[in-house]
Amino acid sequence: MTGTRRLLSRLRDLRAHGSAPLSTLVQLVASELVSEVCSVYVQRPGDILELAATEGLNQDAVGRTRLRVGEGIVGLCAATGTVMNLPDAQNHPAFAYRPETGEEPFASMLAVPVRRSGRTLGVLVVQNRTPRNFTDPEVDDVETVAMLLAEMLAGSGATDGSPEGLAATVPRLFAGTPLMGGIAVGPVVLLRSARPVIRLLADDPKAEQLRLEQAVVHMQRGLDDLFADVPHNGRAADVNASREVLEAYRLVASDAGWLRRVGDVIRGGMTAEAAVQRVASELHDRMRRISDAYLRERLADMEDLANRLLTALTGGEPVAHVPEGAILLARRLGPAELLDWHARGIAGVAVEEASPSGHAAILARALGIPALGSLRGMLDSAEQGDDAVVDADDGNFILRPEAEVRRAYIRAQEARSAKYAELATWRGRPAATADGVGLKLMLNVGLSLELPQLERTGADGIGLFRTEIAMLARGSVADVAEQAAIYARVLDEAGDKPVLFRTLDLGADKLLPGTVTEEENPAMGWRSLRVGLDRPALLRRQLRALLLAAGGRGLSVMFPMVATVAEFRAAKTLLLAEAKRVRPCPGTLRIGTMLEVPSLMWQLPDLLKESDFISVGSNDLLQFLFAADRGTPSLYDRYDFLSQPVLDLIEQLVVAAKAACVPVSLCGEAASRPLEALVLAALGVTTLSMPASGILPIKAMFAQVELASFRSVLSAIRRSGGTSLREPIATWAREQGIII
Ligand code: PEP
Ligand code: MG
């Protein structure tokens, strides 16, 4: 029996007796490979490699010797994922001396990364006194042991260093390269092409070779079926490019060279699947080092094929169900895989290692799937089923987006819908009722990618710019310069149209990564303007950025979640103080408040003296008015905007504001609902701010309404005293033939 086969068979015996301690494994490797030192370093949270077991170095160093990833030979091996074979390690420039290990006498060193599913879990090290290079068969043996060790470490929950617990909950933004434009919002499906290889060692190489050959035949048949379904329509250039990609792929599939290499590994005593995995990981290492785009694509194809072979051999990860509109996340993606997943109905793709000229990108364009590439580190942060956004128009991938960010993207997506095309004819017409009452229909936006909606919808301006959305999307509050650039872009795009900036409304369901809220009722807790007033530096920074962005143009700013006139006054004072410092000063400076907290209704006389305008935030106002959490789905329909208390409140506000000559608008979701918009206009709120998808339908609805006659109908309905006014209003609209 050769040394390798004997080592493998002893390792198998060891595993058969349950989980072997690392100390036994290192003893065995040291004795079978006749090396003086064998050590295992395990990766711990925080990118630390810790000496977890050793044979030959001082036992005292176990658990004490620690290196950062990238530090020393071991750290370098982990960081680059490559084998380090050094005859004289201590004279290598990266060597990091750790006196407690007692490793001075050992000159030669072989460090092999312990990796599983592309993640580095640790490093296996062998050392000898004699300065020499380790031979290829020796390297092969240590790599085989490293594979086994990877299974052991994965089973014991070793980490790859990502902060435990945190990664699974907080939103993450990754900047990527657009491969195919578009937006997709949906649950994540992680591409795991094959089950982890559990059976590594085999007794009968001939039987394994046979299994391999059968799997190759099976795989090739599968490819023939798959390629038959490639789209024939679409842009001619894309169709031709995708055909070329598949032809090249077919050539690789029939290439005997890499299959021969798999056969060699099988003869060394491994199972067919372990051998394929080993060759795939070698290919991956080679790919990392090759800069030639063509060769990289060939190797990527081979890797894709190796993964398909693994799936054929192990049965693959069962893909129980691909949820509607799912987003596929992959480290790398071969063309055949993309076709497979397209057939299963994915709506978007995010890939760690893919470029616009790559095969996956070419096919994504042919298939019309929004796709992003070059998303380093994305996969390690994602869990199956996480929510995600592929924004391939702006190159952003957002994992676990805040509800508000998600909604913003859904709005952006909706705005592309076919219905929108039908309504496009309303774009250039002014918003007015059939009897000539003019309205202002404005946009609620929060991301720069939504700005083109101004042009597309013909909206009269931006009635609510939610400044916190861009901060949530980038994961932190930007500095003054970056914020100023964001706001200046908004003003540039808006041109002559007015923009209302709302200061940061963070807290409640809009939490930045790392923010922990221990409050029982965060929606009524330390959020929004309360944070700004308690952390004036944060608010001042934003106010300065807004003033700088205006650069002499007009500026309108409003504050969210104001509960007392004193709070409004304090915020206004900060803004006026900043305005004195920033040059040029804005052409006009209008300072207003949102009305979201009902308490303001009893402070109207004072408030109206100080506020230049009021914008009703009906989403929050209703939750506080009815004490009904806006985020609880079961309460969604329980209280109606079209009810006496809400209408009475709006009416009182309009009457008081009119007397004080203070304009009132409404910027909650209610503005985009036709019946609500109609009632608001009848009550005198003729400036409505809403998501882009609402503008044209609302405009079309108003054009069909005689507002004067609806006013008297509404008065009669209110006098009749029913709890919900919705039904009688809807009946009237139906009878008038108003299409909503
Ligand atoms: C509102 O509360 O109605 C509002 C517009 O603000 P947000 O939805 O951002 O809380
Ligand atoms: Mg609000």
Side-chain angles (χ1 to χ4, degrees):
M1 192 184 253
T2 65
T4 317
R5 296 209 19 97
R6 195 175 59 220
L7 172 65
L8 293 184
S9 122
R10 291 200 58 188
L11 286 172
R12 190 174 42 196
D13 290 348
L14 202 65
R15 291 198 81 202
H17 292 96
S19 61
L22 287 180
S23 53
T24 315
L25 180 111
V26 290
Q27 274 165 13
L28 190 64
V29 175
S31 72
E32 287 300 330
L33 298 184
V34 202
S35 66
E36 284 143 319
V37 174
C38 176
S39 313
V40 174
Y41 290 80
V42 172
Q43 188 157 339
R44 304 284 185 214
D47 279 352
I48 297 291
L49 292 155
E50 183 184 287
L51 180 64
T54 184
E55 175 69 14
L57 298 184
N58 290 339
Q59 290 303 321
D60 284 355
V62 171
R64 278 179 57 211
T65 297
R66 293 170 150 225
L67 295 152
R68 285 189 311 277
V69 169
E71 184 188 11
I73 310 288
V74 169
L76 203 57
C77 169
T80 58
T82 49
V83 172
M84 311 280 293
N85 185 352
L86 308 170
D88 184 9
Q90 297 184 25
N91 281 319
H92 188 280
F95 184 76
Y97 179 54
R98 289 288 189 273
E100 72 277 9
T101 58
E103 65 183 324
E104 296 87 335
F106 307 106
S108 56
M109 182 180 203
L110 175 66
V112 173
V114 178
R115 301 177 62 190
R116 189 171 187 269
S117 312
R119 295 174 176 210
T120 301
L121 303 178
V123 177
L124 179 64
V125 179
V126 173
Q127 290 171 280
N128 275 325
R129 283 172 203 268
T130 324
R132 67 171 181 95
N133 272 115
F134 289 81
T135 63
D136 285 349
E138 283 171 331
V139 175
D140 261 9
D141 287 347
V142 178
E143 284 194 301
T144 304
V145 176
M147 277 177 76
L148 191 77
L149 190 56
E151 297 307 321
M152 290 167 66
L153 291 181
S156 73
T159 99
D160 66 339
S162 47
E164 284 162 317
L166 194 65
T169 54
V170 298
R172 294 282 309 270
L173 170 75
F174 296 87
T177 312
L179 306 177
M180 158 74 195
I183 293 172
V185 181
V188 152
V189 189
L190 299 180
L191 175 61
R192 294 202 191 100
S193 7
R195 285 201 186 112
V197 175
I198 294 165
R199 216 170 55 90
L200 293 177
L201 314 172
D203 285 329
D204 185 354
K206 283 210 181 82
E208 292 304 308
Q209 183 66 33
L210 193 64
R211 284 184 65 225
L212 174 71
E213 281 158 18
Q214 284 164 347
V216 170
V217 171
H218 179 82
M219 175 189 78
Q220 266 160 347
R221 267 199 222 118
L223 287 176
D224 289 342
D225 293 347
L226 201 55
F227 291 0
D229 291 338
V230 174
H232 297 272
N233 45 14
R235 279 196 332 129
D238 287 341
V239 171
N240 287 341
S242 62
R243 293 249 147 245
E244 277 171 30
V245 165
L246 296 178
E247 279 318 310
Y249 190 90
R250 233 186 252 283
L251 285 178
V252 176
S254 51
D255 177 292
W258 67 278
L259 287 173
R260 211 176 299 123
R261 169 76 189 127
V262 177
D264 290 345
V265 181
I266 288 178
R267 276 185 290 283
M270 302 192 85
T271 59
E273 53 269 36
V276 171
Q277 195 181 49
R278 159 77 80 82
V279 173
S281 121
E282 286 171 5
L283 286 171
H284 181 230
D285 287 347
R286 272 163 57 202
M287 257 169 60
R288 287 154 68 106
R289 277 176 253 133
I290 290 175
S291 56
D292 181 272
Y294 178 80
L295 278 180
R296 271 182 84 103
E297 285 301 331
R298 289 286 81 75
L299 282 171
D301 284 354
M302 281 193 202
E303 225 199 345
D304 183 8
L305 282 164
N307 279 329
R308 300 184 81 75
L309 255 188
L310 265 183
T311 308
L313 283 162
T314 62
E317 273 275 301
V319 183
H321 163 70
V322 176
E324 172 102 7
I327 294 172
L328 178 67
L329 266 57
R331 205 169 296 280
R332 290 169 296 282
L333 190 66
E337 276 168 327
L338 181 55
L339 286 175
D340 255 353
W341 285 90
H342 176 251
R344 290 181 198 152
I346 51 157
V349 170
V351 192
E352 284 201 346
E353 295 172 25
S355 66
S357 58
H359 292 169
I362 291 167
L363 272 182
R365 284 195 284 277
L367 299 169
I369 305 175
L372 280 172
S374 310
L375 293 162
R376 289 238 159 251
M378 157 205 71
L379 212 51
D380 285 353
S381 306
E383 300 275 355
Q384 194 84 7
D386 275 348
D387 229 346
V389 172
V390 168
D391 164 15
D393 288 336
D394 266 12
N396 290 323
F397 175 72
I398 305 173
L399 203 51
R400 298 178 290 275
E402 290 286 343
E404 203 62 38
V405 173
R406 188 179 194 281
R407 279 197 286 272
Y409 276 104
I410 288 179
R411 287 199 296 273
Q413 212 180 16
E414 281 168 357
R416 294 167 159 240
S417 69
K419 187 174 168 212
Y420 217 76
E422 278 171 40
L423 287 164
T425 50
W426 285 97
R427 212 196 128 273
R429 306 194 212 168
T433 61
D435 51 346
V437 178
L439 299 134
K440 291 239 169 311
L441 303 184
M442 321 262 280
L443 276 181
N444 292 351
V445 291
L447 291 167
S448 53
L449 73 92
E450 293 181 280
L451 293 174
Q453 299 300 353
L454 257 184
E455 178 62 28
R456 281 186 211 140
T457 59
D460 294 305
I462 296 175
L464 170 64
F465 188 84
R466 293 178 163 106
T467 55
E468 69 282 357
I469 304 284
M471 308 304 140
L472 290 167
R474 75 190 286 289
S476 62
V477 178
D479 62 18
V480 174
E482 201 182 323
Q483 283 193 54
I486 295 171
Y487 308 145
R489 184 167 164 202
V490 177
L491 290 171
D492 292 348
E493 294 266 338
D496 294 337
K497 295 182 176 176
V499 180
L500 280 188
F501 287 100
R502 185 211 19 221
T503 59
L504 292 174
D505 185 18
L506 291 165
D509 60 339
K510 290 183 261 188
L511 294 176
L512 283 168
T515 321
V516 186
T517 172
E518 306 223 320
E519 298 169 317
E520 277 194 25
N521 292 308
M524 294 194 282
W526 193 62
R527 58 171 283 206
S528 199
L529 184 63
R530 295 167 189 177
V531 178
L533 292 176
D534 292 356
R535 299 259 188 283
L538 182 80
L539 181 54
R540 244 187 250 119
R541 245 198 300 165
Q542 177 173 37
L543 297 173
R544 195 168 336 126
L546 285 163
L547 291 157
L548 285 168
R553 293 178 278 197
L555 178 66
S556 296
V557 178
M558 62 184 177
F559 301 105
M561 279 291 288
V562 175
T564 66
V565 176
E567 285 174 346
F568 175 69
R569 218 173 269 143
K572 185 174 166 177
T573 307
L574 280 180
L575 175 51
L576 291 174
E578 272 321 298
K580 284 199 188 117
R581 271 182 228 133
V582 174
R583 288 291 169 271
C585 35
T588 51
L589 178 58
R590 295 174 70 241
I591 309 175
T593 179
M594 289 191 77
L595 195 147
E596 299 178 287
V597 184
S599 63
L600 281 190
M601 286 303 292
W602 288 271
Q603 304 170 69
L604 283 179
D606 282 344
L607 189 69
L608 290 166
K609 274 187 216 135
E610 311 214 15
S611 189
D612 293 332
F613 60 90
I614 289 185
S615 180
V616 179
S618 55
N619 306 336
D620 274 316
L621 181 62
L622 260 71
Q623 83 163 337
F624 298 129
L625 197 62
F626 291 114
D629 182 0
R630 68 193 256 192
T632 300
S634 56
L635 294 181
Y636 178 68
D637 268 344
R638 195 170 180 115
Y639 304 100
D640 199 346
F641 185 96
L642 296 180
S643 58
Q644 300 284 9
V646 180
L647 268 53
D648 286 355
L649 185 154
I650 302 280
E651 194 170 49
Q652 279 172 33
L653 173 66
V654 169
V655 169
K658 199 167 172 195
C661 296
V662 173
V664 171
S665 58
L666 184 139
C667 63
E669 300 302 304
S672 61
R673 295 189 205 114
L675 294 184
E676 280 86 334
L678 186 56
V679 168
L680 283 164
L683 294 176
V685 183
T686 48
T687 300
L688 301 172
S689 194
M690 64 194 81
S693 54
I695 301 276
L696 295 180
I698 294 291
K699 198 189 266 190
M701 179 276 293
F702 272 130
Q704 305 166 63
V705 172
E706 295 274 346
L707 199 61
S709 33
F710 177 65
R711 263 201 201 105
S712 37
V713 169
L714 181 63
S715 300
I717 292 173
R718 290 177 72 192
R719 273 197 308 274
S720 73
T723 8
S724 172
L725 311 176
R726 182 172 299 278
E727 198 37 52
I729 296 170
T731 306
W732 175 84
R734 258 195 314 273
E735 283 167 5
Q736 300 298 304
I738 296 168
I739 302 161
I740 50 178

